[in-house]
Amino acid sequence: MKQAEIGAAVPNVDALKAQAKRLRAAMNEKQTPITQSMALEAIARQWGFRDWNTLSAKAKSNLPRAWFVGQRVTGRYLGHAFDGHLKAVRSASGGYWYVTVIFDQPVDVVTSDAFSSYRKQVNVVLNEDAVTQAKTSDGVPHMELRAA
């Protein structure tokens, strides 16, 4: 089955290389060592591509959005809508981003009616969908971010 047929989005190159690294480790544990090149080719076939070069070309054309310092953003933080801008941005492997968001208006991070605690700035780790893995107790992501 071809990748286009299953409709799955191809991860970025770092995520694909991490998959190959895990495959090599698993094969080594089974006393069947393989080279990195063999692992990359196997990952390409798993994704429905004929070889690593074809897969990596597709992955490069499918890079996650590029966040940048000073960019205007909007979204939700702990259930509160916000507008703000990015103070710091750093990409990480696997399509993740470390970002520091400065809110235009401070956000209350406490749900209690007894008191409030406002944050003007937060540091979060976003996945390639611009959502945090961390969630509140009711399953809502801590932050969902969009370019303004």
Side-chain angles (χ1 to χ4, degrees), residues 18-93:
Q19 288 177 7
K21 186 175 181 179
R22 289 190 301 272
L23 175 61
R24 279 188 77 192
M27 295 301 289
N28 282 334
E29 287 176 8
K30 299 291 183 188
Q31 305 298 318
T32 311
I34 61 173
T35 65
Q36 181 67 9
S37 177
M38 291 170 70
L40 291 170
E41 295 298 323
I43 295 300
R45 286 190 297 280
Q46 284 181 321
W47 279 93
F49 292 86
R50 71 172 184 247
D51 58 34
W52 170 252
N53 290 339
T54 306
L55 174 59
S56 65
K58 174 65 176 173
K60 287 177 185 169
S61 67
N62 189 30
L63 290 173
R65 71 179 49 91
W67 299 106
F68 57 90
V69 172
Q71 183 176 14
R72 294 290 306 161
V73 292
T74 186
R76 298 192 69 77
Y77 181 68
L78 298 177
H80 301 283
F82 71 85
D83 293 308
H85 69 276
L86 299 180
K87 176 182 177 182
V89 176
R90 183 169 54 100
S91 67
S93 65

Side-chain angles (χ1 to χ4, degrees), residues 3 6 14 21 31-32 36 44 64 70-71 81 84 87 89 95 117-119 122 124 141:
Q3 184 272 334
I6 60 175
D14 288 338
K21 186 175 181 179
Q31 305 298 318
T32 311
Q36 181 67 9
Q71 183 176 14
K87 176 182 177 182
V89 176
S117 179
Y118 289 91
R119 300 279 305 269
V122 294
V124 295

Side-chain angles (χ1 to χ4, degrees), residues 75-82 111 124 127 130-145:
R76 298 192 69 77
Y77 181 68
L78 298 177
H80 301 283
F82 71 85
T111 57
V124 295
N127 65 19
V131 176
T132 58
Q133 294 296 102
K135 295 181 174 26
T136 60
S137 60
D138 58 355
V140 176
H142 283 192
M143 180 177 282
E144 299 175 55
L145 192 67

